[in-house]
Amino acid sequence: MWRAHPAPFRGAPALTAATELLVDGAIVVTYFAAITAVGLYLGRRDRSLSDFALAGRRVPWWAVMASIIAAETSAATFLGVPGEGYTTKSFAYVQIILGLILGRVVVGHVFLKPYYTFKVYTVYDYLGVRFGPWTKAYVSALFLFMRTLASGTRLFIPSLVMVLAYRLFVSGAQPQFGQTTVSAYLVAIIALTVVTCLYTAVGGIKAVIWTDVIQACLMFGGALVAIATLLAHVGGLSAVVRAVPQLTTHEGYFLHGFEPGAIAAWMAAHRLDAMRPWDYVELVLASDYTLFSALVGATLGNMAAFGTDQDMVQRMLTAETHQKARRSLITAAFMDLPVASAFVFIGILLFVYYQQDPTYRPAAVADVFASYILNVMPVGVRGFVVAGVFATAMGSFSAALNALATSATNDWYLRWVPGRSETHYVRAARWFTVLFAALMVAIAGGFAYAKVSHPDVRIIPVVLGIAGFILGPMLGVFLIGMFTGRRGSDGGNMLAITAGLLATVVVGKLHITILNGLAPWLGIAPTFEQPGWIPEVSFTWWAMIGALVVFGVGVLFRTPERVRAGIARYAREAQTAEAVPLALRRSKGSTEDRAR
């Protein structure tokens, strides 16, 4: 067993510090080379948009499952979720997996079949069939904006480790957290982007999925190795329980939201003598991780993420049938329980470790895991876990790039540039991949500046909050389409989505943030505040609120008869033109009819 307080870089006695760094660096370089080679090899036969975006719908269900896990487990999870466990010293974050499972069960049994019935290339094709072109265009544009912003923010996360790992492996310098410049982060972001963009642009969805399988194994393996080393360093589970006594109570595993401590803190903060019924409602809405937010807020949030976000749905569309896609989705949901638990447990173990030996404890919570990896882990193990960080980053990043490129090509480019060859559209999708990669680099650079300026920024709420503003209103439109037969129209949906976006902006206080940010430029003091009559709402509830507002407004409008009559025609066309994008099917069908 390793010593409870190991010296940095301590490995086998025969190895010098320089040799140790060479071993770890070689592991990371080998990973980058191997994953790039696999991605480029798999993309050599992409000749059509169906190959690039859907892999011909021939991917095994278990590979789709692994790809789903890799896509949702970004570097924000690898480095950010341990921060949540470190802060709360509880597994309460894992509660959201309950809603994740429930949400995916609904998506698997309700959403996936219509997508396969119409043989869509993006989920927004379904909205075009069900409502009309304006709804499809509006929601597709929201996806392009939201996914670029959210994934760009995520892209910054691995640069935290990449910069420090470079300094450690190349120059042998001791990692210094909180002393990195924006330019150093930007170089790391660009390097990671170039490698990921290369195999994603060339290999398409096949490269994304099969590299995801490798990356998912490496990611979870890295987490298990980290747990093993931490347990050895802190002295086993008994030492953990002694340092974190709440693990012997329910508060160490789940929070219903009405714990005495939470109520007392709420009453003190709001100067209350007694709790009224509405005070309890406000308390639940303001809490991030409770049983209520897990069973209600997280359920709708995950219905939005896995039913309406092309980034997550695209890999499911590569399965042969909707039944196999459903098996992939729901199995991945249950697999998320041990994955999330492992990363939260790492955070709790890090709290115990830094209590015992604060030598390498960083100032920012977001850096606690990265500091342990680089300063404390033994040789070989460190290289393996650093490769795991990059694997999670590249898995989610490549998936987002491919989904964005597919949506931009299928939802927009095909409509405005029809009649070209399949090779032309594949080339366009590859250039869109490069375009969105460049945009994400700019966004990640902006987040790097924010992190340098405000080191205590929490990663997980930022990443989930960005998606929460938009995914909820997107879900509301799909709920109208899936659960009603005659409600919803192009014009009504435009109004409903706008109302839903305004609702999430208000409850998320985004308008206050923007106003206070602009105030100094206008010569005004940044003193804008949310009105007291609007309750505090945690980011875990934003998707639900946005979805309910859109659904409530959208169902007031009736679906035009001509639109309803066209749905059956689209279904017939899908059966005879499966490998043709929906936007081109009618013209292809007309040509074939004339030929006959």
Side-chain angles (χ1 to χ4, degrees):
M1 179 180 291
W2 293 294
R3 290 162 44 194
H5 309 293
F9 320 131
R10 185 176 180 86
L15 296 180
T16 64
T19 304
E20 291 182 357
L21 297 179
L22 183 62
V23 170
D24 289 328
I27 292 172
V28 175
V29 171
T30 300
Y31 160 74
F32 274 112
I35 211 73
T36 303
V38 170
L40 293 176
Y41 175 79
L42 290 170
R44 70 195 189 284
R45 295 180 181 175
D46 282 353
R47 297 291 183 269
S48 68
L49 196 59
S50 177
D51 290 333
F52 184 86
L54 301 173
R57 300 188 195 271
R58 295 186 298 268
V59 179
W61 75 268
W62 55 266
V64 176
M65 176 201 71
S67 183
I68 292 171
I69 294 172
E72 63 183 329
T73 309
S74 66
T77 303
F78 203 104
L79 298 176
V81 172
E84 297 295 312
Y86 181 90
T87 301
T88 64
K89 296 175 284 294
S90 163
F91 284 92
Y93 174 85
V94 182
Q95 287 181 135
I96 67 174
I97 302 300
L98 298 175
L100 186 149
I101 294 171
L102 293 174
R104 294 196 201 179
V105 168
V106 175
V107 169
H109 286 85
V110 178
F111 285 58
L112 292 181
K113 186 176 181 180
Y115 298 158
Y116 275 80
T117 297
F118 298 109
K119 298 295 190 293
V120 301
Y121 275 47
T122 72
V123 290
Y124 315 115
D125 277 339
Y126 167 77
L127 296 180
V129 171
R130 177 63 177 81
F131 300 113
W134 288 104
T135 302
K136 173 183 175 179
Y138 196 174
V139 178
S140 175
L142 287 176
F143 161 73
L144 294 174
F145 174 78
M146 176 272 299
R147 182 46 55 205
T148 303
L149 190 60
S151 295
T153 302
R154 285 178 173 178
L155 179 59
F156 159 74
I157 311 304
S159 70
L160 290 167
V161 174
M162 196 169 186
V163 169
L164 299 175
Y166 175 82
R167 291 176 177 172
L168 178 64
F169 296 154
V170 175
S171 63
Q174 189 72 23
Q176 296 294 323
F177 288 84
Q179 299 181 18
T180 303
T181 63
V182 175
S183 60
Y185 284 133
L186 198 57
V187 171
I189 289 166
I190 293 172
L192 190 65
T193 300
V194 169
V195 174
T196 309
C197 181
L198 177 63
Y199 76 75
T200 304
V202 174
I205 192 66
K206 287 198 295 291
V208 170
I209 288 178
W210 289 109
T211 54
D212 277 353
V213 173
I214 299 170
Q215 289 159 341
C217 295
L218 186 57
M219 171 271 298
F220 195 53
L224 294 179
V225 168
I227 289 174
T229 58
L230 276 163
L231 282 172
H233 288 159
V234 303
L237 284 173
S238 58
V240 176
V241 174
R242 287 194 300 271
V244 189
Q246 69 192 70
L247 290 178
T248 61
T249 70
H250 84 273
E251 293 185 20
Y253 302 92
F254 71 91
L255 299 173
H256 49 64
F258 300 139
E259 285 75 18
I263 292 176
W266 182 265
M267 292 178 65
H270 294 79
R271 300 177 182 177
L272 300 175
D273 295 325
M275 292 285 287
R276 299 163 298 177
W278 179 246
D279 293 322
Y280 285 105
V281 174
E282 288 188 318
L283 173 59
V284 168
L285 290 175
S287 301
D288 290 346
Y289 309 123
T290 66
L291 201 56
F292 294 96
S293 62
L295 294 178
V296 182
T299 296
L300 286 167
N302 279 277
M303 286 173 60
F306 292 91
T308 75
D309 185 347
Q310 180 68 17
D311 183 24
M312 293 299 177
V313 181
Q314 182 157 349
R315 66 219 56 251
M316 289 179 252
L317 299 180
T318 65
E320 184 179 0
T321 65
H322 76 273
Q323 292 93 338
K324 291 182 179 180
R326 180 172 62 212
R327 185 189 308 166
S328 304
L329 177 64
I330 296 177
T331 305
F334 283 98
M335 290 296 295
D336 280 338
L337 191 59
V339 171
S341 299
F343 284 109
V344 172
F345 189 42
I346 287 172
I348 295 172
L349 290 172
L350 287 169
F351 171 79
V352 177
Y353 175 78
Y354 287 124
Q355 290 294 307
Q356 295 179 358
D357 184 359
T359 304
Y360 298 109
R361 180 166 56 198
V365 171
D367 297 331
V368 291
F369 191 24
S371 178
Y372 176 80
I373 293 171
L374 296 175
N375 288 310
V376 182
M377 279 188 166
V379 63
V381 172
R382 177 174 53 198
F384 179 75
V385 175
V386 169
V389 175
F390 296 144
T392 58
M394 295 170 73
S396 60
F397 183 40
S398 64
L401 284 177
N402 187 259
L404 288 164
T406 299
S407 181
T409 305
N410 181 78
D411 300 339
W412 298 90
Y413 192 76
L414 287 180
R415 180 180 178 185
W416 297 108
V417 188
R420 302 298 180 91
S421 67
E422 290 279 8
T423 304
H424 174 88
Y425 292 127
V426 172
R427 191 182 307 118
R430 285 172 173 158
W431 279 111
F432 275 123
T433 303
V434 175
L435 171 63
F436 284 110
L439 292 174
M440 289 187 198
V441 167
I443 292 166
F447 193 72
Y449 175 79
K451 183 69 169 62
V452 170
S453 304
H454 305 283
D456 289 327
V457 171
R458 290 170 65 196
I459 297 173
I460 292 297
V462 170
V463 172
L464 296 182
I466 289 172
F469 283 117
I470 295 176
L471 279 177
M474 287 170 58
L475 173 63
V477 183
F478 281 87
L479 292 178
I480 297 170
M482 298 289 180
F483 290 98
T484 72
R486 298 173 178 270
R487 312 309 300 182
S489 68
D490 251 356
N493 289 342
M494 301 288 282
L495 177 63
I497 295 168
T498 303
L501 289 171
L502 289 174
T504 57
V505 164
V506 170
V507 298
K509 297 192 286 190
L510 180 60
H511 61 304
I512 301 297
T513 302
I514 293 173
L515 288 173
N516 283 328
L518 293 176
W521 296 88
L522 302 175
I524 304 172
T527 56
F528 293 96
E529 295 182 355
Q530 187 87 301
W533 56 270
I534 299 178
E536 185 81 15
V537 180
S538 167
F539 69 92
T540 52
W541 294 97
W542 296 350
M544 182 197 77
I545 293 171
L548 292 179
V549 170
V550 172
F551 187 86
V553 175
V555 294
L556 300 177
F557 299 85
R558 182 183 294 274
T559 306
E561 287 300 321
R562 59 178 176 78
V563 175
R564 295 185 62 247
I567 294 176
R569 185 182 68 251
Y570 278 112
R572 290 194 302 271
E573 289 176 354
Q575 303 312 309
T576 58
E578 177 176 347
V580 180
L582 189 144
L584 302 179
R585 286 174 195 166
R586 191 161 302 172
S587 60
K588 180 178 177 66
S590 299
T591 301
E592 292 174 347
D593 290 341
R594 286 195 297 270
R596 286 196 295 266

